[in-house]
Amino acid sequence: ISISNYDYATIPRSKSVGFMGVFVSIYYSSQMYQEAESRIRQRQEQILRDREERKQREEEGLREKQQKEVHNCLRRMEGELQHRVEKIRALEKRIAELEE
């Protein structure tokens, strides 16, 4: 948790009440520490969730990009194959004409 983002107004203040003031201060300090620790854990968990979501989005984007590249490559190969088949047919036709 960033100190600049911490709201100091939310920190409980202890009030010394004679002899028991020491215990009240320790209680509030411990409580403040536990609350800060809890907030830090929550923020860490949120950061981890955000990272995982971002990683999944990036992976999905890469998968989509790869699928598009494969699709485009297959289309080019099919076009080239069709072109070569047409050339073969034309050559076979010409051979047949020359043999007649």
Side-chain angles (χ1 to χ4, degrees), residues 66-79:
Q66 186 180 27
Q67 287 176 350
K68 286 179 184 177
E69 288 175 0
V70 167
H71 180 72
N72 290 337
C73 183
L74 286 173
R75 276 196 318 180
R76 282 192 306 272
M77 291 172 72
E78 287 172 351

Side-chain angles (χ1 to χ4, degrees), residues 1-13 28-49:
I1 198 166
S2 173
I3 289 182
S4 63
N5 292 337
Y6 195 77
D7 184 7
Y8 289 99
T10 62
I11 298 175
R13 304 281 188 236
Y28 277 118
S29 296
S30 175
Q31 183 181 9
M32 287 172 22
Y33 175 78
Q34 290 173 354
E35 289 172 2
E37 223 177 30
S38 174
R39 288 184 192 132
I40 290 170
R41 267 194 307 278
Q42 289 172 353
R43 182 66 181 133
Q44 287 173 333
E45 291 169 0
Q46 182 63 43
I47 289 170
L48 291 175
R49 283 191 300 270

Side-chain angles (χ1 to χ4, degrees), residues 66-97:
Q66 186 180 27
Q67 287 176 350
K68 286 179 184 177
E69 288 175 0
V70 167
H71 180 72
N72 290 337
C73 183
L74 286 173
R75 276 196 318 180
R76 282 192 306 272
M77 291 172 72
E78 287 172 351
E80 182 66 26
L81 180 62
Q82 183 65 31
H83 177 71
R84 290 180 185 210
V85 166
E86 289 170 5
K87 272 187 165 181
I88 291 171
R89 286 185 182 149
L91 289 172
E92 287 174 342
K93 183 179 178 182
R94 177 141 183 184
I95 291 171
E97 289 172 357

Side-chain angles (χ1 to χ4, degrees), residues 43-57:
R43 182 66 181 133
Q44 287 173 333
E45 291 169 0
Q46 182 63 43
I47 289 170
L48 291 175
R49 283 191 300 270
D50 291 346
R51 283 182 184 167
E52 184 62 30
E53 289 173 5
R54 185 173 47 243
K55 181 181 173 184
Q56 288 176 356
R57 284 192 307 270

